[in-house]
Short mmCIF file of all heavy atoms in Angstrom, two decimals:
data_model
loop_
_atom_site.label_atom_id
_atom_site.label_comp_id
_atom_site.label_asym_id
_atom_site.label_seq_id
_atom_site.Cartn_x
_atom_site.Cartn_y
_atom_site.Cartn_z
N SER A 1 2.61 -3.17 -18.93
CA SER A 1 3.15 -4.41 -19.05
C SER A 1 4.69 -4.35 -18.81
O SER A 1 5.17 -5.04 -18.03
CB SER A 1 2.81 -5.05 -20.38
OG SER A 1 3.52 -6.20 -20.50
N ASN A 2 5.33 -3.32 -19.42
CA ASN A 2 6.76 -3.22 -19.29
C ASN A 2 7.11 -2.70 -17.98
O ASN A 2 8.04 -3.15 -17.31
CB ASN A 2 7.31 -2.21 -20.29
CG ASN A 2 7.30 -2.87 -21.68
OD1 ASN A 2 7.33 -4.09 -21.91
ND2 ASN A 2 7.38 -2.10 -22.74
N SER A 3 6.30 -1.75 -17.39
CA SER A 3 6.53 -1.20 -15.93
C SER A 3 6.36 -2.31 -15.05
O SER A 3 7.07 -2.35 -13.99
CB SER A 3 5.67 0.00 -15.72
OG SER A 3 4.24 -0.37 -15.89
N TYR A 4 5.33 -3.18 -15.25
CA TYR A 4 5.17 -4.26 -14.19
C TYR A 4 6.50 -5.18 -14.19
O TYR A 4 6.82 -5.55 -13.05
CB TYR A 4 3.90 -5.09 -14.65
CG TYR A 4 3.80 -6.46 -13.88
CD1 TYR A 4 3.35 -6.45 -12.53
CD2 TYR A 4 4.22 -7.56 -14.53
CE1 TYR A 4 3.32 -7.59 -11.92
CE2 TYR A 4 4.19 -8.80 -13.81
CZ TYR A 4 3.75 -8.83 -12.54
OH TYR A 4 3.61 -10.01 -11.78
N LEU A 5 6.88 -5.54 -15.39
CA LEU A 5 8.06 -6.33 -15.44
C LEU A 5 9.22 -5.71 -14.89
O LEU A 5 10.02 -6.42 -14.20
CB LEU A 5 8.30 -6.78 -16.97
CG LEU A 5 7.24 -7.73 -17.59
CD1 LEU A 5 7.58 -7.86 -19.07
CD2 LEU A 5 7.21 -9.01 -16.82
N LEU A 6 9.49 -4.43 -15.09
CA LEU A 6 10.59 -3.72 -14.53
C LEU A 6 10.51 -3.75 -12.92
O LEU A 6 11.51 -3.94 -12.25
CB LEU A 6 10.61 -2.27 -14.94
CG LEU A 6 11.75 -1.43 -14.51
CD1 LEU A 6 13.10 -1.97 -14.99
CD2 LEU A 6 11.64 0.06 -15.03
N LEU A 7 9.24 -3.44 -12.51
CA LEU A 7 9.08 -3.41 -11.00
C LEU A 7 9.33 -4.86 -10.46
O LEU A 7 9.90 -4.94 -9.46
CB LEU A 7 7.68 -2.93 -10.67
CG LEU A 7 7.33 -2.90 -9.16
CD1 LEU A 7 8.22 -1.95 -8.48
CD2 LEU A 7 5.85 -2.32 -9.02
N LYS A 8 8.79 -5.86 -11.15
CA LYS A 8 9.01 -7.27 -10.74
C LYS A 8 10.49 -7.64 -10.64
O LYS A 8 10.89 -8.12 -9.61
CB LYS A 8 8.16 -8.21 -11.63
CG LYS A 8 8.46 -9.64 -11.30
CD LYS A 8 7.60 -10.60 -12.33
CE LYS A 8 7.97 -11.91 -12.27
NZ LYS A 8 9.25 -12.19 -12.88
N ASP A 9 11.27 -7.20 -11.53
CA ASP A 9 12.67 -7.47 -11.70
C ASP A 9 13.41 -6.75 -10.59
O ASP A 9 14.25 -7.26 -9.87
CB ASP A 9 13.25 -7.11 -13.07
CG ASP A 9 12.76 -7.99 -14.10
OD1 ASP A 9 12.36 -9.11 -13.88
OD2 ASP A 9 13.03 -7.58 -15.21
N ASP A 10 12.99 -5.49 -10.40
CA ASP A 10 13.61 -4.66 -9.29
C ASP A 10 13.33 -5.38 -7.75
O ASP A 10 14.27 -5.48 -6.96
CB ASP A 10 13.09 -3.27 -9.15
CG ASP A 10 13.62 -2.37 -10.24
OD1 ASP A 10 14.56 -2.87 -10.99
OD2 ASP A 10 13.11 -1.34 -10.47
N ILE A 11 12.05 -5.86 -7.70
CA ILE A 11 11.68 -6.51 -6.34
C ILE A 11 12.48 -7.77 -6.20
O ILE A 11 13.09 -8.15 -5.12
CB ILE A 11 10.28 -6.85 -6.25
CG1 ILE A 11 9.58 -5.35 -6.14
CG2 ILE A 11 9.93 -7.69 -5.01
CD1 ILE A 11 8.03 -5.49 -6.23
N GLU A 12 12.61 -8.66 -7.20
CA GLU A 12 13.38 -9.85 -7.15
C GLU A 12 14.79 -9.56 -6.99
O GLU A 12 15.49 -10.34 -6.24
CB GLU A 12 13.15 -10.70 -8.47
CG GLU A 12 11.65 -11.21 -8.47
CD GLU A 12 11.44 -12.03 -9.75
OE1 GLU A 12 12.29 -11.90 -10.84
OE2 GLU A 12 10.45 -12.56 -10.00
N GLU A 13 15.40 -8.55 -7.66
CA GLU A 13 16.76 -8.19 -7.39
C GLU A 13 17.15 -7.84 -6.00
O GLU A 13 18.15 -8.04 -5.55
CB GLU A 13 17.20 -7.05 -8.49
CG GLU A 13 18.69 -6.74 -8.49
CD GLU A 13 18.86 -5.66 -9.46
OE1 GLU A 13 18.54 -6.02 -10.73
OE2 GLU A 13 19.28 -4.60 -9.20
N CYS A 14 16.23 -7.23 -5.38
CA CYS A 14 16.42 -6.67 -3.98
C CYS A 14 16.23 -7.69 -3.02
O CYS A 14 16.60 -7.75 -1.83
CB CYS A 14 15.51 -5.43 -3.64
SG CYS A 14 15.66 -3.98 -4.50
N ASP A 15 15.64 -8.82 -3.46
CA ASP A 15 15.42 -10.10 -2.57
C ASP A 15 14.52 -9.72 -1.42
O ASP A 15 14.85 -10.21 -0.32
CB ASP A 15 16.67 -10.81 -2.18
CG ASP A 15 16.54 -12.07 -1.52
OD1 ASP A 15 15.62 -12.91 -2.04
OD2 ASP A 15 17.30 -12.47 -0.67
N LEU A 16 13.46 -8.99 -1.61
CA LEU A 16 12.54 -8.71 -0.52
C LEU A 16 11.57 -9.92 -0.38
O LEU A 16 11.06 -10.49 -1.33
CB LEU A 16 11.64 -7.42 -1.03
CG LEU A 16 12.33 -6.12 -1.06
CD1 LEU A 16 11.34 -5.11 -1.65
CD2 LEU A 16 12.83 -5.67 0.21
N ASN A 17 11.37 -10.18 0.90
CA ASN A 17 10.43 -11.23 1.19
C ASN A 17 9.12 -10.67 1.55
O ASN A 17 8.94 -9.39 1.63
CB ASN A 17 10.87 -12.18 2.27
CG ASN A 17 11.18 -11.37 3.63
OD1 ASN A 17 10.44 -10.26 3.89
ND2 ASN A 17 12.05 -11.85 4.40
N ARG A 18 8.12 -11.47 1.57
CA ARG A 18 6.70 -10.97 1.74
C ARG A 18 6.51 -10.08 3.09
O ARG A 18 5.96 -9.08 2.99
CB ARG A 18 5.74 -12.15 1.74
CG ARG A 18 4.28 -11.68 1.82
CD ARG A 18 3.37 -12.85 1.58
NE ARG A 18 1.94 -12.44 1.63
CZ ARG A 18 1.33 -12.02 0.54
NH1 ARG A 18 1.87 -12.14 -0.63
NH2 ARG A 18 0.07 -11.66 0.66
N PRO A 19 6.95 -10.64 4.19
CA PRO A 19 6.86 -9.62 5.36
C PRO A 19 7.49 -8.26 5.28
O PRO A 19 7.07 -7.29 5.65
CB PRO A 19 7.39 -10.62 6.48
CG PRO A 19 7.40 -11.95 6.04
CD PRO A 19 7.46 -11.89 4.54
N GLU A 20 8.65 -8.41 4.60
CA GLU A 20 9.41 -7.14 4.48
C GLU A 20 8.74 -6.19 3.49
O GLU A 20 8.58 -4.92 3.66
CB GLU A 20 10.79 -7.52 3.92
CG GLU A 20 11.65 -6.15 3.83
CD GLU A 20 13.15 -6.57 3.37
OE1 GLU A 20 13.46 -7.71 3.07
OE2 GLU A 20 13.85 -5.59 3.21
N MET A 21 8.22 -6.76 2.52
CA MET A 21 7.43 -5.88 1.52
C MET A 21 6.17 -5.27 2.05
O MET A 21 5.66 -4.24 1.84
CB MET A 21 7.00 -6.72 0.17
CG MET A 21 6.53 -5.99 -0.85
SD MET A 21 7.89 -4.90 -1.52
CE MET A 21 7.02 -3.80 -2.67
N THR A 22 5.49 -6.24 2.85
CA THR A 22 4.26 -5.76 3.48
C THR A 22 4.55 -4.67 4.54
O THR A 22 3.85 -3.69 4.57
CB THR A 22 3.60 -6.93 4.27
OG1 THR A 22 3.29 -7.99 3.34
CG2 THR A 22 2.27 -6.42 5.00
N ALA A 23 5.68 -4.66 5.28
CA ALA A 23 6.06 -3.70 6.23
C ALA A 23 6.40 -2.40 5.40
O ALA A 23 6.12 -1.32 5.93
CB ALA A 23 7.28 -4.15 6.98
N LYS A 24 7.02 -2.40 4.22
CA LYS A 24 7.26 -1.38 3.42
C LYS A 24 6.07 -0.65 2.89
O LYS A 24 5.89 0.49 2.94
CB LYS A 24 8.16 -1.65 2.22
CG LYS A 24 9.67 -1.89 2.63
CD LYS A 24 10.45 -2.23 1.43
CE LYS A 24 11.94 -2.37 1.69
NZ LYS A 24 12.69 -1.05 1.97
N LEU A 25 5.09 -1.46 2.54
CA LEU A 25 3.74 -0.91 1.99
C LEU A 25 2.99 -0.29 3.07
O LEU A 25 2.47 0.79 2.99
CB LEU A 25 2.96 -2.09 1.49
CG LEU A 25 3.46 -2.52 0.04
CD1 LEU A 25 2.61 -3.84 -0.32
CD2 LEU A 25 3.24 -1.61 -0.97
N LEU A 26 2.97 -0.93 4.28
CA LEU A 26 2.29 -0.26 5.48
C LEU A 26 2.92 1.02 5.78
O LEU A 26 2.20 2.07 6.00
CB LEU A 26 2.47 -1.36 6.75
CG LEU A 26 1.60 -2.28 6.70
CD1 LEU A 26 1.89 -3.51 7.78
CD2 LEU A 26 0.09 -2.05 6.80
N CYS A 27 4.18 1.18 5.91
CA CYS A 27 4.93 2.36 6.16
C CYS A 27 4.59 3.43 5.17
O CYS A 27 4.28 4.68 5.41
CB CYS A 27 6.30 2.26 6.24
SG CYS A 27 7.18 3.67 6.67
N THR A 28 4.66 3.15 3.84
CA THR A 28 4.27 4.03 2.81
C THR A 28 2.92 4.64 2.93
O THR A 28 2.65 5.77 2.71
CB THR A 28 4.55 3.45 1.32
OG1 THR A 28 5.95 2.96 1.36
CG2 THR A 28 4.23 4.31 0.23
N LEU A 29 1.86 3.61 2.99
CA LEU A 29 0.54 4.07 3.24
C LEU A 29 0.32 4.96 4.37
O LEU A 29 -0.44 5.99 4.34
CB LEU A 29 -0.31 2.82 3.41
CG LEU A 29 -0.62 2.10 2.00
CD1 LEU A 29 -1.22 0.68 2.30
CD2 LEU A 29 -1.52 2.82 1.10
N GLU A 30 0.96 4.61 5.55
CA GLU A 30 0.81 5.43 6.70
C GLU A 30 1.31 6.87 6.51
O GLU A 30 0.78 7.83 6.99
CB GLU A 30 1.33 4.77 7.86
CG GLU A 30 0.58 3.47 8.41
CD GLU A 30 1.36 2.78 9.45
OE1 GLU A 30 2.58 2.94 9.64
OE2 GLU A 30 0.73 1.98 10.21
N THR A 31 2.46 6.95 5.88
CA THR A 31 3.12 8.14 5.53
C THR A 31 2.13 9.04 4.60
O THR A 31 1.98 10.29 4.89
CB THR A 31 4.38 8.01 4.95
OG1 THR A 31 5.27 7.34 5.89
CG2 THR A 31 5.11 9.31 4.63
N ALA A 32 1.69 8.46 3.52
CA ALA A 32 0.78 8.99 2.63
C ALA A 32 -0.52 9.59 3.38
O ALA A 32 -0.93 10.65 3.12
CB ALA A 32 0.48 8.12 1.51
N MET A 33 -0.98 8.76 4.23
CA MET A 33 -2.34 9.17 4.96
C MET A 33 -1.98 10.31 5.83
O MET A 33 -2.75 11.25 5.99
CB MET A 33 -2.81 8.00 5.76
CG MET A 33 -3.45 6.92 4.92
SD MET A 33 -3.79 5.43 5.92
CE MET A 33 -5.22 6.03 6.90
N HIS A 34 -0.82 10.26 6.53
CA HIS A 34 -0.45 11.48 7.41
C HIS A 34 -0.36 12.64 6.64
O HIS A 34 -0.83 13.69 7.11
CB HIS A 34 0.79 11.18 8.12
CG HIS A 34 1.42 12.10 9.04
ND1 HIS A 34 0.63 12.68 10.12
CD2 HIS A 34 2.49 12.78 9.10
CE1 HIS A 34 1.23 13.66 10.69
NE2 HIS A 34 2.34 13.80 10.09
N ARG A 35 0.35 12.69 5.50
CA ARG A 35 0.51 13.86 4.76
C ARG A 35 -0.72 14.35 4.09
O ARG A 35 -1.03 15.55 4.14
CB ARG A 35 1.44 13.56 3.58
CG ARG A 35 2.87 13.45 3.97
CD ARG A 35 3.91 13.18 2.75
NE ARG A 35 5.24 13.10 3.23
CZ ARG A 35 6.24 12.51 2.49
NH1 ARG A 35 5.92 12.12 1.34
NH2 ARG A 35 7.50 12.38 3.04
N ALA A 36 -1.64 13.49 3.66
CA ALA A 36 -2.89 13.81 3.11
C ALA A 36 -3.82 14.45 4.25
O ALA A 36 -4.47 15.39 4.03
CB ALA A 36 -3.62 12.61 2.55
N MET A 37 -3.73 14.08 5.37
CA MET A 37 -4.42 14.49 6.48
C MET A 37 -3.96 15.96 6.92
O MET A 37 -4.79 16.93 7.11
CB MET A 37 -4.32 13.67 7.80
CG MET A 37 -5.34 12.54 7.72
SD MET A 37 -5.62 11.71 9.31
CE MET A 37 -4.04 10.65 9.20
N LYS A 38 -2.67 16.17 6.81
CA LYS A 38 -2.11 17.51 7.11
C LYS A 38 -2.60 18.49 6.05
O LYS A 38 -2.78 19.61 6.26
CB LYS A 38 -0.54 17.41 7.08
CG LYS A 38 -0.14 16.92 8.40
CD LYS A 38 1.32 16.72 8.31
CE LYS A 38 2.09 18.01 8.34
NZ LYS A 38 3.65 17.91 8.42
N GLU A 39 -2.76 17.97 4.83
CA GLU A 39 -3.11 18.85 3.71
C GLU A 39 -4.72 18.79 3.51
O GLU A 39 -5.13 19.43 2.52
CB GLU A 39 -2.39 18.43 2.39
CG GLU A 39 -0.97 18.56 2.49
CD GLU A 39 -0.15 18.12 1.28
OE1 GLU A 39 -0.86 17.77 0.29
OE2 GLU A 39 1.15 17.92 1.38
N LYS A 40 -5.40 18.27 4.31
CA LYS A 40 -6.84 18.19 4.34
C LYS A 40 -7.33 17.56 2.98
O LYS A 40 -8.32 17.90 2.51
CB LYS A 40 -7.52 19.50 4.57
CG LYS A 40 -7.00 20.09 5.92
CD LYS A 40 -7.75 21.49 6.19
CE LYS A 40 -7.30 21.76 7.65
NZ LYS A 40 -7.90 23.01 8.01
N GLN A 41 -6.62 16.50 2.57
CA GLN A 41 -7.05 15.68 1.35
C GLN A 41 -7.76 14.59 1.75
O GLN A 41 -7.16 13.45 1.64
CB GLN A 41 -5.77 15.53 0.45
CG GLN A 41 -5.06 16.66 -0.03
CD GLN A 41 -5.84 17.46 -1.00
OE1 GLN A 41 -6.65 16.82 -1.87
NE2 GLN A 41 -5.94 18.74 -1.00
N TYR A 42 -8.89 14.65 2.30
CA TYR A 42 -9.58 13.52 2.91
C TYR A 42 -10.02 12.48 2.12
O TYR A 42 -9.92 11.28 2.45
CB TYR A 42 -10.87 14.11 3.75
CG TYR A 42 -10.40 15.03 4.85
CD1 TYR A 42 -10.80 16.49 4.71
CD2 TYR A 42 -9.60 14.66 5.84
CE1 TYR A 42 -10.33 17.22 5.63
CE2 TYR A 42 -9.01 15.63 6.79
CZ TYR A 42 -9.48 16.94 6.64
OH TYR A 42 -9.15 17.84 7.70
N PRO A 43 -10.25 12.62 0.83
CA PRO A 43 -10.47 11.49 -0.12
C PRO A 43 -9.27 10.66 -0.35
O PRO A 43 -9.36 9.59 -0.39
CB PRO A 43 -10.91 12.14 -1.53
CG PRO A 43 -11.37 13.58 -1.15
CD PRO A 43 -10.69 13.98 0.08
N ALA A 44 -8.11 11.30 -0.25
CA ALA A 44 -6.88 10.46 -0.34
C ALA A 44 -6.71 9.76 0.90
O ALA A 44 -6.24 8.63 0.81
CB ALA A 44 -5.64 11.46 -0.55
N VAL A 45 -6.99 10.32 1.98
CA VAL A 45 -6.90 9.55 3.22
C VAL A 45 -7.79 8.36 3.30
O VAL A 45 -7.42 7.14 3.54
CB VAL A 45 -7.32 10.43 4.39
CG1 VAL A 45 -7.27 9.60 5.85
CG2 VAL A 45 -6.29 11.63 4.69
N ALA A 46 -8.98 8.55 2.76
CA ALA A 46 -9.98 7.41 2.70
C ALA A 46 -9.46 6.32 1.72
O ALA A 46 -9.66 5.09 2.13
CB ALA A 46 -11.33 7.96 2.37
N SER A 47 -9.06 6.74 0.59
CA SER A 47 -8.55 5.72 -0.30
C SER A 47 -7.31 4.89 0.19
O SER A 47 -7.26 3.70 0.04
CB SER A 47 -8.31 6.26 -1.71
OG SER A 47 -7.33 7.17 -1.67
N ASN A 48 -6.50 5.66 0.89
CA ASN A 48 -5.28 4.96 1.48
C ASN A 48 -5.79 4.04 2.54
O ASN A 48 -5.14 3.03 2.71
CB ASN A 48 -4.18 5.96 1.90
CG ASN A 48 -3.42 6.60 0.79
OD1 ASN A 48 -3.18 5.84 -0.24
ND2 ASN A 48 -3.08 7.71 0.86
N ALA A 49 -6.68 4.57 3.34
CA ALA A 49 -7.11 3.67 4.45
C ALA A 49 -7.84 2.36 3.89
O ALA A 49 -7.58 1.34 4.46
CB ALA A 49 -8.15 4.48 5.29
N LYS A 50 -8.50 2.54 2.80
CA LYS A 50 -9.00 1.39 2.17
C LYS A 50 -8.08 0.25 1.72
O LYS A 50 -8.28 -0.94 1.99
CB LYS A 50 -10.04 1.84 1.01
CG LYS A 50 -10.90 0.53 0.43
CD LYS A 50 -11.80 1.25 -0.64
CE LYS A 50 -12.58 0.19 -1.34
NZ LYS A 50 -13.48 0.79 -2.34
N VAL A 51 -6.99 0.76 1.11
CA VAL A 51 -6.01 -0.18 0.72
C VAL A 51 -5.23 -0.72 1.86
O VAL A 51 -5.01 -1.96 1.87
CB VAL A 51 -4.89 0.67 -0.12
CG1 VAL A 51 -3.66 -0.17 -0.49
CG2 VAL A 51 -5.50 1.24 -1.50
N LEU A 52 -4.98 0.09 3.00
CA LEU A 52 -4.50 -0.41 4.15
C LEU A 52 -5.31 -1.58 4.83
O LEU A 52 -4.68 -2.59 5.23
CB LEU A 52 -4.29 0.76 5.12
CG LEU A 52 -3.51 0.38 6.50
CD1 LEU A 52 -2.23 -0.06 6.23
CD2 LEU A 52 -3.51 1.70 7.34
N MET A 53 -6.64 -1.28 4.80
CA MET A 53 -7.43 -2.25 5.47
C MET A 53 -7.48 -3.61 4.58
O MET A 53 -7.49 -4.73 5.16
CB MET A 53 -8.86 -1.71 5.50
CG MET A 53 -9.06 -0.56 6.60
SD MET A 53 -10.66 0.22 6.57
CE MET A 53 -11.68 -1.25 7.08
N LYS A 54 -7.35 -3.43 3.25
CA LYS A 54 -7.27 -4.71 2.46
C LYS A 54 -5.95 -5.44 2.72
O LYS A 54 -5.97 -6.63 2.89
CB LYS A 54 -7.41 -4.33 0.93
CG LYS A 54 -8.84 -4.09 0.56
CD LYS A 54 -8.86 -3.85 -0.86
CE LYS A 54 -10.32 -3.56 -1.40
NZ LYS A 54 -10.35 -3.31 -2.86
N LEU A 55 -4.89 -4.65 2.82
CA LEU A 55 -3.63 -5.22 3.06
C LEU A 55 -3.47 -5.95 4.30
O LEU A 55 -2.86 -7.03 4.36
CB LEU A 55 -2.56 -4.12 3.10
CG LEU A 55 -1.08 -4.58 3.21
CD1 LEU A 55 -0.64 -5.40 2.06
CD2 LEU A 55 -0.11 -3.40 3.37
N ILE A 56 -4.14 -5.49 5.38
CA ILE A 56 -4.05 -6.12 6.77
C ILE A 56 -5.37 -6.97 7.00
O ILE A 56 -5.57 -7.49 8.10
CB ILE A 56 -3.73 -5.25 7.77
CG1 ILE A 56 -4.90 -4.16 7.95
CG2 ILE A 56 -2.31 -4.57 7.63
CD1 ILE A 56 -4.68 -3.23 9.18
N ARG A 57 -6.03 -7.10 5.90
CA ARG A 57 -7.32 -7.96 5.99
C ARG A 57 -8.35 -7.52 6.94
O ARG A 57 -8.99 -8.46 7.72
CB ARG A 57 -6.88 -9.43 6.11
CG ARG A 57 -6.09 -9.93 5.01
CD ARG A 57 -5.92 -11.51 5.05
NE ARG A 57 -5.17 -11.84 3.78
CZ ARG A 57 -4.10 -12.54 3.84
NH1 ARG A 57 -3.59 -12.78 5.02
NH2 ARG A 57 -3.54 -12.89 2.79
N LEU A 58 -8.61 -6.32 7.05
CA LEU A 58 -9.74 -5.78 7.86
C LEU A 58 -10.78 -5.22 7.09
O LEU A 58 -11.65 -4.42 7.58
CB LEU A 58 -9.09 -4.63 8.78
CG LEU A 58 -8.13 -5.09 9.89
CD1 LEU A 58 -7.74 -3.76 10.69
CD2 LEU A 58 -8.99 -5.97 10.84
N GLU A 59 -10.89 -5.49 5.81
CA GLU A 59 -11.90 -4.91 4.99
C GLU A 59 -13.27 -5.47 5.36
O GLU A 59 -13.36 -6.51 5.89
CB GLU A 59 -11.56 -5.33 3.51
CG GLU A 59 -11.68 -6.68 3.30
CD GLU A 59 -10.84 -7.11 2.02
OE1 GLU A 59 -11.06 -6.74 0.88
OE2 GLU A 59 -9.66 -7.71 2.34
N VAL A 60 -14.18 -4.54 5.20
CA VAL A 60 -15.70 -4.92 5.55
C VAL A 60 -16.27 -5.60 4.36
O VAL A 60 -16.22 -5.10 3.14
CB VAL A 60 -16.44 -3.69 5.95
CG1 VAL A 60 -17.84 -4.07 6.29
CG2 VAL A 60 -15.76 -3.07 7.07
N LYS A 61 -16.74 -6.83 4.64
CA LYS A 61 -17.46 -7.54 3.45
C LYS A 61 -18.93 -6.88 3.45
O LYS A 61 -19.64 -7.01 4.50
CB LYS A 61 -17.54 -9.01 3.84
CG LYS A 61 -16.12 -9.49 3.98
CD LYS A 61 -15.58 -10.01 2.59
CE LYS A 61 -14.30 -10.71 3.07
NZ LYS A 61 -13.19 -10.66 2.09
N THR A 62 -19.45 -6.64 2.29
CA THR A 62 -20.80 -6.19 2.10
C THR A 62 -21.42 -7.11 1.18
O THR A 62 -20.83 -7.77 0.25
CB THR A 62 -20.91 -4.72 1.57
OG1 THR A 62 -20.22 -4.62 0.34
CG2 THR A 62 -20.22 -3.75 2.57
N ASN A 63 -22.79 -7.30 1.31
CA ASN A 63 -23.65 -8.13 0.36
C ASN A 63 -24.21 -7.22 -0.65
O ASN A 63 -24.91 -6.31 -0.33
CB ASN A 63 -24.78 -8.76 1.23
CG ASN A 63 -24.22 -9.89 2.11
OD1 ASN A 63 -23.19 -10.39 1.92
ND2 ASN A 63 -24.99 -10.17 3.20
N SER A 64 -23.90 -7.40 -1.89
CA SER A 64 -24.35 -6.48 -2.97
C SER A 64 -25.37 -7.24 -3.75
O SER A 64 -25.20 -8.39 -4.03
CB SER A 64 -23.24 -6.02 -3.87
OG SER A 64 -22.25 -5.34 -3.10
#
């Protein structure tokens, strides 16, 4: 709870808008995926790819 509030305050203080924050998240995810691939950490690549797909709304909808 406290960490959320601290992060929220930091974001508001930096005055990041949604497109800028989305771009930062995309860059961070792509960097993490690249590093994970180099280190053959494929589960990390997959989980980052899943987050990336959700962020850009490419997630696959399944019927459960």
Side-chain angles (χ1 to χ4, degrees):
S1 172
N2 288 337
S3 59
Y4 168 81
L5 293 174
L6 180 61
L7 181 59
K8 180 180 165 285
D9 291 345
D10 284 348
I11 290 171
E12 287 175 352
E13 187 176 298
C14 293
D15 194 30
L16 292 174
N17 59 28
R18 186 174 179 90
E20 185 179 0
M21 192 65 192
T22 301
K24 286 181 175 282
L25 288 169
L26 284 170
C27 182
T28 301
L29 285 168
E30 288 174 343
T31 301
M33 288 172 67
H34 178 57
R35 288 182 180 164
M37 281 190 274
K38 284 175 65 176
E39 296 176 13
K40 298 183 180 179
Q41 297 294 321
Y42 302 115
V45 175
S47 64
N48 283 326
K50 186 175 181 179
V51 172
L52 181 62
M53 290 173 67
K54 283 183 180 180
L55 183 63
I56 60 176
R57 297 191 175 124
L58 287 178
E59 62 208 293
V60 176
K61 307 269 189 216
T62 58
N63 293 333
S64 300

